[in-house]
Amino acid sequence: MEPPAASPHVVAVVLFQGVDAVDVTGPAEVFSTANWLLRQRGREPRYEVHHLADRAGPVRTVSGVRLYADETFDGWRLTPDTLLVPGGIQLTDDGPVPVIDATAVEWIREAGREARRIVSICAGTHLTAAAGLLRGHRATTHWSTVDRLAAEQPLVQVERDPIFVRSGHVWTSAGMTASLDLALALVAEDHGAELSLEVARIMVMYLQRPGGQSQLSVPLARSGGGRRDLRDLRSWMGENLDGDLSVPALASRMSLSERHFARLFLADTGITPAVFVEQLRIEGARRMVEQTDLLPRQIARFCGLGSVETLHRVFRTHLGTTPGEYRRRFRPAQQRL
């Protein structure tokens, strides 16, 4: 007598107008590849993915690509093993803003009470938090909205740098392509590291990326504040990384006292001038390592870091890797440091 077939692992994916397509399709590809590998090994495919919205039919993503919801919130009768909440981010004049769909939030609140596992992708963390499912949990989200999440959800322990975070039965990830990293981790939990590794190989992915999402973000791209003169100053600073960016020099450029300048800058951006300059130079160095063939001494000089030793130190401290390793991973065909 043959053993009974294993029950499927039901994945309920929430769709709404303005959702990010990669947040939805990335994990779906991982689950589909895992199913194919399980079938090759004579095992029943496990992941049964359902796409739900407030009404069946096409759903317009933030990029304009249309996905299709084959089931509705009202008509759903299954208990999800994994409730997957993708996100959406609107780019406005005031900066990136997470899309919050009230109908989706209400359904997430109800479905989340029964789901064995809750997974939020990118800005989907904002929807899950709005549904009250992240209280007391650690969580992350896209770097551009992480400060908003921390401000709006004081009962959530927000972590800014990880690519993904697991807190009990709740999983959250950073932006967009980090959904692939998280989906691989879910496969590893469900079927073991060997299958997850094989999925990663087929999809030409790293099983686990080095460092955190700061490697892939632009932390200084936030609009930060409403003062036009300070926005112009920050743009000028970004174009003059090798110049004198000390508080005395910047205050003089603004025709302000050092104390008054430092106070205005902190109020406008939320960070001190010194911290901003440090982040600006780190970001400049990261981009030069990733996008150019410049030598370490050239990058250090152009970014105002002074020496190769300082360049290596800031990469190890802030990105968890070395410039050479970063270039090898993100520019494999280019010259190595």
Side-chain angles (χ1 to χ4, degrees):
M1 180 177 180
E2 294 185 359
S7 59
H9 181 114
V10 176
V11 181
V13 182
V14 180
L15 299 184
F16 51 88
Q17 302 297 324
V19 69
D20 185 272
V22 176
D23 290 3
V24 177
T25 59
E29 290 293 339
V30 171
F31 296 143
S32 175
T33 304
N35 279 346
W36 180 81
L37 286 170
L38 289 169
R39 189 179 297 110
Q40 295 298 306
R41 298 178 182 187
R43 296 161 59 185
E44 287 292 327
R46 288 295 310 279
Y47 296 106
E48 184 180 283
V49 181
H50 301 256
H51 297 93
L52 300 91
D54 59 344
R55 55 187 176 186
V59 177
R60 184 182 177 86
T61 67
V62 69
S63 64
V65 173
R66 283 172 172 77
L67 303 175
Y68 194 90
D70 45 22
E71 300 179 66
T72 65
F73 296 147
D74 290 341
W76 179 259
R77 294 294 180 265
L78 301 176
T79 298
D81 295 291
T82 295
L83 171 61
L84 194 149
V85 183
I89 296 178
Q90 291 285 349
L91 300 179
T92 72
D93 292 341
D94 296 324
V97 177
V99 176
I100 303 296
D101 184 284
T103 303
V105 168
E106 185 59 34
W107 188 80
I108 291 165
R109 180 180 294 112
E110 295 299 320
R113 293 171 181 166
E114 298 182 345
R116 179 175 68 82
R117 183 167 64 191
I118 300 171
V119 177
S120 299
I121 305 296
C122 189
T125 302
H126 291 268
L127 281 81
T128 308
L133 301 177
L134 296 184
R135 293 169 186 165
H137 286 283
R138 295 180 299 110
T140 192
T141 188
H142 191 273
W143 62 266
S144 69
T145 65
V146 71
D147 289 336
R148 178 188 291 266
L149 181 66
E152 294 179 349
Q153 301 291 340
L155 299 181
V156 179
Q157 184 180 335
V158 178
E159 298 191 8
R160 287 169 167 76
D161 195 52
I163 288 176
F164 64 83
V165 170
R166 179 182 184 179
S167 179
H169 72 297
V170 175
W171 301 63
T172 55
S173 83
M176 301 182 185
T177 56
S179 64
L180 299 171
D181 301 83
L182 177 51
L184 285 174
L186 299 178
V187 171
E189 181 187 52
D190 297 337
H191 299 288
E194 182 183 351
L195 184 70
S196 182
L197 178 59
E198 188 62 25
V199 172
R201 286 173 178 159
I202 290 175
M203 298 185 67
V204 196
M205 293 173 57
Y206 290 111
L207 186 61
Q208 183 175 0
R209 299 188 211 178
Q213 64 169 307
S214 58
Q215 288 185 335
L216 307 174
S217 70
V218 187
L220 304 170
R222 55 183 173 182
S223 58
R227 288 185 62 107
R228 174 69 177 273
D229 54 352
L230 287 177
R231 287 204 302 271
D232 292 343
L233 177 68
R234 293 198 297 274
S235 296
W236 177 86
M237 292 163 68
E239 297 170 357
N240 295 272
L241 295 180
D242 59 344
D244 184 356
L245 301 184
S246 65
V247 168
L250 295 172
S252 176
R253 185 176 181 83
M254 294 285 291
S255 299
L256 298 171
S257 70
E258 294 177 25
R259 184 175 181 180
H260 186 47
F261 166 73
R263 186 165 56 247
L264 286 179
F265 195 97
L266 177 62
D268 195 64
T269 65
I271 58 176
T272 67
V275 171
F276 184 86
V277 169
E278 178 185 49
Q279 293 182 351
L280 194 65
R281 283 175 166 153
I282 292 168
E283 177 64 13
R286 183 191 70 79
R287 284 179 172 271
M288 287 184 187
V289 168
E290 179 182 338
Q291 299 174 8
T292 76
D293 296 319
L294 292 172
L295 299 174
R297 57 180 173 77
Q298 295 173 307
I299 294 173
R301 183 173 73 251
F302 292 153
C303 293
L305 295 174
S307 68
V308 174
E309 290 74 18
T310 302
L311 175 68
H312 277 261
R313 184 170 66 251
V314 298
F315 261 73
R316 286 194 299 269
T317 301
H318 296 278
L319 300 178
T321 187
T322 66
E325 179 64 18
Y326 188 92
R327 180 170 281 176
R328 278 190 291 272
R329 288 183 181 273
F330 291 98
R331 301 188 69 222
Q334 300 294 329
Q335 162 187 343
R336 297 185 178 186
L337 293 179

